[in-house]
């Protein structure tokens, strides 16, 4: 029998305050990191939401030997400034080669500064930076073509057979324009819910969960792509950037050989009234 593939994670990273506040998401990130270490993962490959390549049909791979972390708003610097990152340049070069071989224009970026969408999750998963696995960051593409981002994830899927952990860090319901900000700005409370989430947020939250939990293999790819035509997609995502990570995950976990391996909701938090952060795990499967 073939060796099992490592899981794939879709993580909604939420607001910057998720780095500093306790939450169900934080608990699961730590559990996922512990599981990764217990299984001896070789490295992490992640597509975030805050870095996109402006060239048509192209992505970039972070190839900075000593990356700088961008500042994080509403979080005390002590939560992250001394955390040592571990860029994986060797695997980055492999990813560039694999993407190019799949017909995707990929190149290295030697000056990229790491952003909270990636290192927030890493700090939560591996609070002791001595245990952080080598990490490779893949950009999104600024044209936000859903099919293109599925192709990126599919091109890197074979690395799961080598015990690499693939992660998409974006958002399930992530519209900054429709969040309720005053509890955070006045009281530093990102979890305050002065009113329930609005109907559009609840509707898209459920639609996203239904697609992930009720589809596998190519049907997962079709379902997550089709959600961009959902009547409430633009309410849930004023911009497309945070949704591309879900399509990257669909590519990595939605091959015909992944049929039967459905996503499992592992944690959920609501912030700022209308931001829903959902964490899904696509469990072990055979290649």
């Amino acid at each position: 029998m073939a060796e099992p593939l490592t899981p794939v994670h879709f993580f909604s990273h939420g607001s910057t305050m998720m780095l500093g506040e306790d939450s169900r998401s934080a608990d699961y990130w730590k559990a996922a990191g512990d599981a990764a270490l217990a299984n001896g993962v070789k490295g992490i490959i992640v597509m975030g939401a805050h870095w996109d390549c402006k060239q048509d049909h192209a992505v970039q791979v972070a190839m900075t030997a000593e990356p700088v972390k961008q500042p994080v708003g509403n979080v005390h610097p002590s939560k992250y400034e001394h955390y040592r990152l571990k860029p994986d340049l060797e695997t980055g070069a492999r990813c560039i080669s694999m993407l190019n071989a799949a017909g995707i224009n990929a190149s290295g970026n030697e000056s990229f500064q790491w952003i909270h969408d990636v290192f927030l999750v890493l700090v939560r998963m591996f609070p002791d930076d001595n245990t952080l696995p080598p990490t490779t960051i893949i950009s999104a593409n600024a044209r936000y073509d859903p099919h293109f981002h599925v192709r990126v994830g599919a091109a890197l899927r074979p690395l799961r057979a080598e015990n690499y952990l693939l992660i998409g860090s974006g958002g399930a319901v992530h519209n900054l324009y429709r969040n309720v900000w005053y509890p955070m700005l006045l009281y530093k409370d990102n979890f305050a819910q002065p009113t329930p989430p609005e109907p559009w947020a609840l509707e898209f939250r459920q639609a996203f969960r239904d697609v992930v939990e009720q589809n596998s293999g190519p049907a997962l790819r079709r379902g997550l792509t089709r959600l961009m035509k959902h009547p409430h997609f633009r309410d849930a995502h004023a911009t497309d950037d945070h949704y591309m990570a879900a399509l990257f995950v669909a590519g990595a976990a939605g091959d015909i050989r992944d049929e039967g391996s459905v996503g499992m909701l592992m944690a959920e938090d609501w912030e700022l009234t209308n931001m829903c952060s959902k964490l899904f795990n696509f469990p072990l499967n055979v290649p």
Side-chain angles (χ1 to χ4, degrees):
M1 176 179 288
E3 291 296 319
L5 303 181
T6 53
V8 178
H9 293 304
F10 173 73
F11 291 153
S12 299
H13 56 258
S15 77
T16 56
M17 288 191 70
M18 293 294 278
L19 179 56
E21 304 300 318
D22 293 335
S23 64
R24 287 178 290 268
S25 296
D27 291 342
Y28 181 67
W29 280 323
K30 179 60 166 61
D34 290 345
L37 294 175
N39 286 280
V41 296
K42 187 174 181 180
I44 294 173
I45 299 169
V46 57
M47 176 183 285
H50 292 259
W51 180 30
D52 49 38
C53 176
K54 304 300 188 289
Q55 184 179 350
D56 288 347
H57 307 296
V59 295
Q60 292 188 323
V61 177
M63 296 292 285
T64 311
E66 297 183 5
V68 173
K69 294 187 290 291
Q70 291 191 3
V72 181
N74 294 299
V75 178
H76 195 278
S78 63
K79 296 284 187 178
Y80 64 90
E81 65 179 356
H82 298 300
Y83 191 84
R84 293 172 299 172
L85 304 173
K86 193 177 296 183
D88 189 348
L89 304 188
E90 180 178 350
T91 300
R94 282 195 66 195
C95 288
I96 293 172
S97 178
M98 293 175 71
L99 290 164
N100 286 333
I104 297 167
N105 183 3
S107 59
N109 184 320
E110 298 181 359
S111 60
F112 174 69
Q113 296 182 358
W114 289 32
I115 309 173
H116 72 270
D117 57 340
V118 171
F119 69 75
L120 180 160
V121 172
L122 297 179
V123 170
R124 285 299 196 179
M125 292 179 73
F126 311 101
D128 178 357
D129 56 21
N130 291 309
T131 67
L132 174 65
T135 304
T136 303
I137 306 176
I138 313 293
S139 80
N141 179 268
R143 304 300 179 260
Y144 304 127
D145 178 341
H147 307 285
F148 175 81
H149 290 83
V150 168
R151 288 178 56 210
V152 173
L156 300 180
R157 180 184 180 274
L159 292 173
R160 295 176 60 197
E162 300 179 31
N163 208 18
Y164 283 92
L165 181 65
L166 273 63
I167 298 173
S169 176
V173 179
H174 193 101
N175 185 343
L176 301 185
Y177 300 101
R178 302 196 68 173
N179 288 341
V180 178
W181 290 98
Y182 76 83
M184 175 189 281
L185 298 176
L186 294 179
Y187 310 113
K188 299 299 183 185
D189 187 351
N190 55 317
F191 293 121
Q193 294 289 111
T195 62
E198 294 182 55
W200 58 265
L202 292 168
E203 174 66 26
F204 193 81
R205 170 259 185 203
Q206 190 61 47
F208 189 95
R209 179 175 181 177
D210 288 345
V211 167
V212 171
E213 292 186 334
Q214 298 178 24
N215 294 276
S216 64
L220 174 68
R221 296 176 177 177
R222 293 193 297 269
L224 285 174
T225 299
R226 190 167 58 246
L227 272 184
M228 291 188 74
K229 295 184 178 295
H230 189 282
H232 290 302
F233 177 80
R234 193 51 69 204
D235 295 313
H237 291 272
T239 56
D240 296 335
D241 42 19
H242 280 69
Y243 195 73
M244 294 302 105
L247 297 165
F248 171 76
V249 165
D255 189 86
I256 187 70
R257 291 164 289 183
D258 294 310
E259 286 189 337
S261 178
V262 297
M264 301 167 58
L265 179 64
M266 308 306 294
E268 179 179 78
D269 288 294
W270 285 89
E271 298 181 88
L272 307 170
T273 298
N274 288 324
M275 181 186 289
C276 182
S277 296
K278 303 174 82 68
L279 279 59
F280 285 96
N281 174 41
F282 294 82
L284 292 169
N285 203 352
V286 294

